[in-house]
Amino acid sequence: MPTRQAVTVNREELYDLVWSQPMLHAAKQFGISGNGLAKICKRLEIPYPPRGYWAQVQAGKKPKKAPLRAAGARTPEATVIRPTPSPAPPRPDPIGDAVRAAEDIPEVPVPADLRRSHPIVAAWVEEDQRRRRESRHNSWSVHTPTTDLDKRIWRIKSALFKVLEKRGHEIEHERGRPRVLWFVIDSERINFSLYERVRHRKERLTAEERRNRESWLSQTWKQWTEPTGLLKFSAHAEIMGKHRQKEWEEKEGAPIEGRLGKIVIALEAMAVLAAEERARRAEQERIRREEEHRHYLARRAREHDQKRWNRFRQMATDWEECDRLRRFIAVLESEAVALVEPSPQLEERIAWARARLNAMDPMAEGATGVAARIEAVSEWD
């Protein structure tokens, strides 16, 4: 049974193993390939059966077995064989799954000409014709000829626009830029593009090109792109900064017109996924805000409680101060009684001190008064 853990094996053990069974079978015990085990044997200077060895054994022959010689000075006596990591699971493709599961693939017929195009495409055609007329009569007017591939792209877009609108969706464009379009499917914006694929070329400069290049250029190669005549359709939805993209590339003998129905299903599936993702993000944001609000209320409650505790401690301090002042007033009253002649001024100040003492004393209204004063502390105090 193949292992998924690293195994330490010495030269003798590995030698006996590879000469007891085919290399592929032995390699499976370590979770590696036959070529990988053969490389390990070479590194440890372990001979292993040549090609055709096991066929001779099955035929009843006894082919010669190469002996295990002593290892060289730099050859290790043992090694650790680690299994090949399992391949990463395929990335989920919910859009592709939706297309494969779809039972009703719409037909998207692409017309052979642009005579009954969608209004958006018809406006492009009209603008192209106007510019072509202007270029004939005005030398300052520059018009880039529309190629057959351009017209084919227009026809494909026209067919897509018609089918999507028939299914209740919309096509919108950027203000002032009528050719910057996107689909609105179930209130979700799906950006798209349909363009010709290009092939990137790169080759070394010839000796003459190297001589003629600018002196400050050090590169020894040149690169360029060349058209392929094949189309590529790309669609992506942006959901709170995250892109979800899907692409379809045209191949020789398989025009993209035959895949437009599946593209429509994929666009609708992309909108559903975008809506689900947006709802999930919105729910996460709601939970985050609620948690943040709970933390805020808890912090306010702690601060309010601390203010009440500070008031309680201040009242205790005031109570101790009142006891000290009360004793001092008693001494003053004793001194006033002992005077031969009464002092109206002293009696007035003693009365004044007692009034201030009563106002300061937290126990003037008893324990319930203390509780009421603590309860009256607001979080804004």
Side-chain angles (χ1 to χ4, degrees):
M1 182 175 181
T3 178
R4 301 310 303 172
Q5 297 180 347
V7 177
T8 301
V9 60
N10 59 39
R11 295 180 69 244
E12 290 76 11
E13 292 172 341
L14 193 55
Y15 172 78
D16 294 339
L17 181 65
V18 298
W19 284 97
S20 66
Q21 57 186 298
M23 185 71 75
L24 184 60
H25 296 170
K28 285 183 178 180
Q29 299 181 31
F30 301 105
I32 61 177
S33 66
N35 288 335
L37 186 57
K39 291 179 180 179
I40 293 174
C41 289
K42 289 180 180 179
R43 188 165 65 248
L44 298 182
E45 297 182 1
I46 299 173
Y48 54 86
R51 187 184 298 275
Y53 176 87
W54 295 106
Q56 296 181 40
V57 172
Q58 290 181 353
K61 299 180 180 180
K62 296 183 178 180
K64 185 178 180 181
K65 179 180 179 181
L68 177 63
R69 302 183 183 280
R74 296 185 177 181
T75 303
E77 287 293 335
T79 188
V80 177
I81 302 178
R82 294 180 172 81
T84 303
S86 301
R91 295 181 61 183
D93 182 20
I95 298 175
D97 294 342
V99 173
R100 287 185 286 272
E103 298 180 354
D104 183 18
I105 304 295
E107 293 186 5
V108 186
V110 179
D113 53 52
L114 294 165
R115 285 179 295 182
R116 300 181 63 183
S117 300
H118 185 275
I120 293 177
V121 177
W124 298 347
V125 174
E126 184 178 352
E127 181 185 6
D128 179 70
Q129 293 174 348
R130 178 182 59 79
R131 290 187 175 182
R132 184 166 49 187
R133 289 192 301 268
E134 289 178 351
S135 64
R136 293 174 182 173
H137 300 90
N138 302 302
S139 58
W140 52 265
S141 179
V142 179
H143 175 261
T144 302
T146 304
T147 65
D148 290 340
L149 186 61
D150 294 331
K151 295 178 180 178
R152 181 186 168 209
I153 291 175
W154 289 357
R155 290 188 285 109
I156 293 173
K157 287 184 176 180
S158 176
L160 267 178
F161 296 168
K162 289 182 178 180
V163 170
L164 286 171
E165 286 186 342
K166 187 176 180 180
R167 296 172 72 90
H169 310 311
E170 300 176 356
I171 297 93
E172 296 183 355
H173 65 81
E174 187 175 328
R175 180 175 298 180
R177 302 178 65 186
R179 298 206 182 197
V180 180
L181 302 170
W182 59 83
F183 303 129
V184 179
I185 302 177
D186 297 334
S187 301
E188 294 294 332
R189 171 171 170 169
I190 309 295
N191 298 295
F192 74 96
S193 57
L194 178 61
Y195 54 92
E196 181 183 12
R197 291 167 51 196
V198 295
R199 185 178 293 109
H200 295 271
R201 295 294 190 184
K202 180 179 179 180
E203 65 180 27
R204 291 189 175 275
L205 297 175
T206 63
E208 182 178 357
E209 288 173 333
R210 288 197 297 271
R211 287 193 300 269
N212 294 335
R213 70 183 175 182
E214 297 290 343
S215 58
W216 52 270
L217 288 176
S218 59
Q219 65 186 39
T220 59
W221 44 266
K222 60 182 178 179
Q223 61 181 4
W224 71 96
T225 59
E226 60 184 25
T228 63
L230 301 175
L231 298 180
K232 181 177 182 178
F233 187 92
S234 175
H236 74 273
E238 183 175 350
I239 310 163
M240 303 178 75
K242 181 179 179 180
H243 290 269
R244 188 181 294 277
Q245 185 168 347
K246 185 72 175 177
E247 296 178 339
W248 295 264
E249 292 187 357
E250 187 175 54
K251 298 180 180 179
E252 292 288 352
I256 203 167
E257 285 88 340
R259 305 169 69 184
L260 295 182
K262 294 183 177 181
I263 289 176
V264 169
I265 297 297
L267 292 174
E268 293 176 339
M270 184 177 292
V272 171
L273 290 173
E276 292 176 352
E277 180 70 15
R278 194 179 303 280
R280 187 180 67 84
R281 296 287 185 90
E283 178 64 14
Q284 289 178 345
E285 179 64 15
R286 184 189 66 79
I287 294 174
R288 185 194 68 81
R289 288 180 179 274
E290 288 184 352
E291 188 67 19
E292 185 179 75
H293 186 62
R294 281 195 295 270
H295 285 304
Y296 169 74
L297 293 178
R299 178 174 57 83
R300 290 276 297 275
R302 289 194 300 269
E303 292 174 352
H304 190 197
D305 186 70
Q306 184 62 40
K307 290 177 180 179
R308 286 175 169 170
W309 177 244
N310 293 341
R311 174 65 62 86
F312 182 81
R313 294 176 61 193
Q314 183 61 45
M315 292 171 69
T317 302
D318 292 345
W319 177 72
E320 291 178 347
E321 179 70 8
C322 286
D323 187 59
R324 185 178 67 85
L325 293 174
R326 192 175 289 109
R327 293 196 303 270
F328 181 59
I329 292 173
V331 172
L332 291 178
E333 289 176 335
S334 298
E335 291 289 334
V337 171
L339 291 176
V340 178
E341 294 183 5
S343 172
Q345 184 179 13
L346 178 58
E347 293 177 357
E348 180 182 351
R349 284 305 165 192
I350 291 175
W352 167 81
R354 279 201 171 279
R356 294 295 300 267
L357 178 62
N358 290 334
M360 178 183 176
D361 188 1
M363 295 297 295
E365 299 178 1
T368 56
V370 172
R373 291 178 65 181
I374 294 174
E375 192 66 27
V377 177
S378 71
E379 54 185 311
W380 310 111
D381 288 344

